[in-house]
Amino acid sequence: MTQKSYLSAIAAFDKANAEDPNIEVSNGKEYPKELLYAQRMTEMQEIYAPEASEAVKLAVHAQHIQRWKSPRSDFPMDRQGYLQWRTGLYKFHAETAGKLMKSVGYDDDTIEHVQAIIGKKGLKVNPETQLTEDVVGLVFIQYYMLAFATSHPEYDEDKWIKIIKKTWQKMSPRAHEFALAGKIQLPEALKPLILRAIQPAD
């Protein structure tokens, strides 16, 4: 890892995310939403996979970079619109991260490598893309699943089981073992439901 370039890129990512007008409170302190998300992603990656490559570390930190600039409301509120939004986000995040990496001196090959991970290229077959997706899933379960549940009181238990299983299926066996070993904090209100959904079959 080129420490100077890496730290410069992370600082550039953080500066970009600090512009987020959306605020989230954590431990009594206010943060720009996507800046906090990036910090949580990197913290989880360091616990889950401290051996991760430079490309993964950069991709992890840039997963949601400036996400507020491409809101869900800009797309039709149906399944097709959701898929268009998600696909567009992958491209937007990859391009934004690439421009910032370029500005601090990264070469084109490294930028393309990181962009492929952010763009979810080779999920399930590219170990670095899968590792990043593992971190995404772990962070969602620990920090965001409860808020998501609160925002959808209309969802019944069966719907939640399906959502949890879908998240679980995107993660690797290594991430499953990590979560089941108590390495992440499950939201207490959802813990019984999560455990029902993710416990391996007998």
Side-chain angles (χ1 to χ4, degrees):
M1 181 184 295
T2 308
Q3 190 70 4
K4 184 178 179 180
S5 297
Y6 172 76
L7 293 176
S8 294
I10 294 297
F13 295 165
D14 284 348
K15 183 178 179 181
N17 277 331
E19 297 172 3
D20 192 349
N22 303 295
I23 300 299
E24 185 168 339
V25 177
S26 177
N27 297 321
K29 185 177 177 181
E30 292 186 344
Y31 298 86
K33 182 179 178 182
E34 297 307 344
L35 180 62
L36 179 61
Y37 180 81
Q39 292 172 353
R40 286 170 167 170
M41 286 286 289
T42 290
E43 288 170 3
M44 184 65 75
Q45 173 262 307
E46 289 294 340
I47 297 168
Y48 174 64
E51 79 288 352
S53 68
E54 179 177 0
V56 168
K57 289 174 183 286
L58 289 165
V60 160
H61 207 77
Q63 273 298 290
H64 280 190
I65 193 161
Q66 296 196 320
R67 173 162 288 206
W68 69 92
K69 291 188 174 182
S70 181
R72 173 69 180 91
S73 57
D74 283 356
F75 297 82
M77 299 305 289
D78 55 20
R79 177 66 178 169
Q80 187 68 19
Y82 174 79
L83 295 174
Q84 290 174 352
W85 173 64
R86 295 292 300 184
T87 301
L89 276 177
Y90 299 155
K91 182 180 180 183
F92 171 72
H93 294 323
E95 289 178 349
T96 303
K99 289 175 184 175
L100 292 172
M101 289 176 65
K102 188 75 171 178
S103 74
V104 300
Y106 270 100
D107 61 273
D108 290 343
D109 287 346
T110 303
I111 291 171
E112 289 176 10
H113 186 179
V114 172
Q115 287 179 319
I117 300 171
I118 294 174
K120 312 288 186 180
K121 304 295 185 184
L123 189 61
K124 293 294 184 185
V125 295
N126 182 327
E128 291 184 317
T129 302
Q130 183 58 56
L131 175 53
T132 303
E133 190 66 17
D134 285 349
V135 177
V136 169
L138 293 168
V139 167
F140 174 69
I141 292 170
Q142 176 162 316
Y143 293 108
Y144 297 99
M145 185 172 281
L146 182 59
F148 186 65
T150 304
S151 68
H152 289 283
E154 73 278 13
Y155 288 179
D156 61 17
E157 190 170 288
D158 287 344
K159 175 77 170 178
W160 272 107
I161 292 286
K162 290 177 182 177
I163 289 171
I164 296 166
K165 283 184 178 293
K166 189 173 181 179
T167 298
W168 196 245
Q169 287 165 1
K170 293 179 181 178
M171 295 157 61
S172 71
R174 175 185 175 183
H176 295 168
E177 183 179 347
F178 184 85
L180 291 172
K183 300 290 182 65
I184 63 172
Q185 298 175 14
L186 303 179
E188 285 298 324
L190 296 176
K191 195 171 182 178
L193 198 60
I194 292 171
L195 291 175
R196 275 183 54 200
I198 69 178
Q199 284 287 356
D202 294 333

